[in-house]
Amino acid sequence: MSVFTKPDWVPQVKPGKRILVTGATGGLGRALVNMLLKGPDCTIGAHGNSQLFDSADQRVLPLQKTFTGEADCAALVDEFANKAGGIDALVVLSGAIHFSGHWKDMEGADWETEMAINLNQPFYLARAAMRHMTDGGGRILLTGTESALHGGSATSFPYAVAKRGTECMVQGLAREGAPAGILVNGVRFGYIESGFHQRWHNRTPEQMAERAELVPLKRGGHVDEAAALMIYLLSDWAGFITGQMIPLTGGDWL
């Protein structure tokens, strides 16, 4: 369905950057890691299924950790910082929708799980990263969803609530990090063809095409478009941007 045409130019971060990507083996994560590898040498902590990355590429540090609470999130950040000699940037792409029914049918434990994955974990990861960034600044990039601005849907309501909370988190952490040169931003994704909708909503190709027709540009966003925006926010060109949620929606919800 996508009519995306890939530009020849690839956005780049400064050489030597140490970047931790959680959820690096999802559609967005793989696109980000692969695009980073096409730029100057940097160290990339790829959290997720390490078999999806070239184990011979010394720039990639495969990291596997199941998040069950704050300690696990902090341990992952510490592990990467110890192996890489520090951390310059954190990109949080780990998130999921585990309850697929109507929110009225949720048990309390289901709600708590959704909040733990999509709101608590980004906070714990960001806070742990900020502790390592106090000397030389850094970048933290969180993710949101455009649907959160509109109340989500009956089946994604908890996810939308968590992502709306993430927008508040971006602002608060940016204000706190600014004196130390730590920039905190987020990307508010619209309909991106990353595999998310098929994995968590079981969307068929026909449903995907129907959803794309609702976007003014009549297509879903490509993962490389998302990766390019994230790399821009990690680059020096974004040095005067903090506390912002940048939409990538193709005009959705206009």
Side-chain angles (χ1 to χ4, degrees):
M1 184 63 197
S2 177
V3 294
F4 170 74
T5 300
K6 195 168 186 176
D8 294 332
W9 179 77
V10 176
Q12 298 178 351
V13 298
K14 183 177 291 186
K17 291 298 183 181
R18 300 158 298 185
I19 304 167
L20 171 59
V21 182
T22 69
T25 53
L28 291 171
R30 292 197 305 273
L32 176 58
V33 171
N34 289 332
M35 192 171 288
L36 284 169
L37 290 174
K38 293 178 181 178
D41 282 349
C42 57
T43 302
I44 305 166
H47 163 255
N49 182 0
S50 61
Q51 295 180 349
L52 294 180
F53 295 103
D54 183 359
S55 60
D57 195 323
Q58 298 301 311
R59 294 172 294 174
V60 178
L61 298 178
L63 300 166
Q64 291 182 301
K65 174 71 72 175
T66 299
F67 299 139
T68 59
E70 177 187 5
D72 293 325
C73 295
L76 177 71
V77 174
D78 291 344
E79 179 184 357
F80 173 71
N82 289 336
K83 289 181 177 180
I87 178 171
D88 298 301
L90 167 71
V91 182
V92 179
L93 296 173
S94 48
I97 296 176
H98 281 278
F99 184 83
S100 59
H102 196 291
W103 60 264
K104 290 190 291 187
D105 300 322
M106 294 184 75
E107 299 290 340
D110 295 323
W111 176 271
E112 296 294 338
T113 296
E114 297 289 339
M115 293 301 113
I117 293 171
N118 299 301
L119 184 62
N120 297 353
Q121 287 174 12
F123 169 69
Y124 294 143
L125 289 162
R127 183 170 64 173
M130 289 180 76
R131 290 170 179 161
H132 287 277
M133 295 176 176
T134 53
D135 292 334
R139 305 293 172 90
I140 294 174
L141 189 57
L142 306 180
T143 52
T145 177
E146 185 72 10
S147 67
L149 300 185
H150 308 276
S153 69
T155 56
S156 67
F157 178 62
Y159 181 79
V161 169
K163 291 301 185 181
R164 193 65 178 264
T166 300
E167 300 212 6
C168 176
M169 191 187 308
V170 164
Q171 292 178 313
L173 294 179
R175 184 173 58 245
E176 189 72 20
I182 302 171
L183 309 183
V184 184
N185 292 293
V187 179
R188 187 188 299 127
F189 291 115
Y191 184 63
I192 308 297
E193 296 180 1
S194 64
F196 180 92
H197 298 86
Q198 297 96 319
R199 182 177 184 182
W200 301 115
H201 290 300
N202 297 314
R203 295 288 188 262
T204 65
E206 292 76 20
Q207 290 173 320
M208 296 287 288
E210 290 174 1
R211 177 63 181 86
E213 281 297 310
L214 299 177
V215 180
L217 293 182
K218 302 301 180 184
R219 68 176 177 91
H222 194 279
V223 289
D224 284 342
E225 292 174 302
L229 176 58
M230 288 187 281
I231 291 177
Y232 170 76
L233 291 171
L234 297 175
S235 76
D236 286 353
W237 284 108
F240 200 56
I241 302 175
T242 194
Q244 306 301 310
M245 293 294 300
I246 311 299
L248 186 67
T249 67
D252 213 0
W253 300 97
L254 289 175

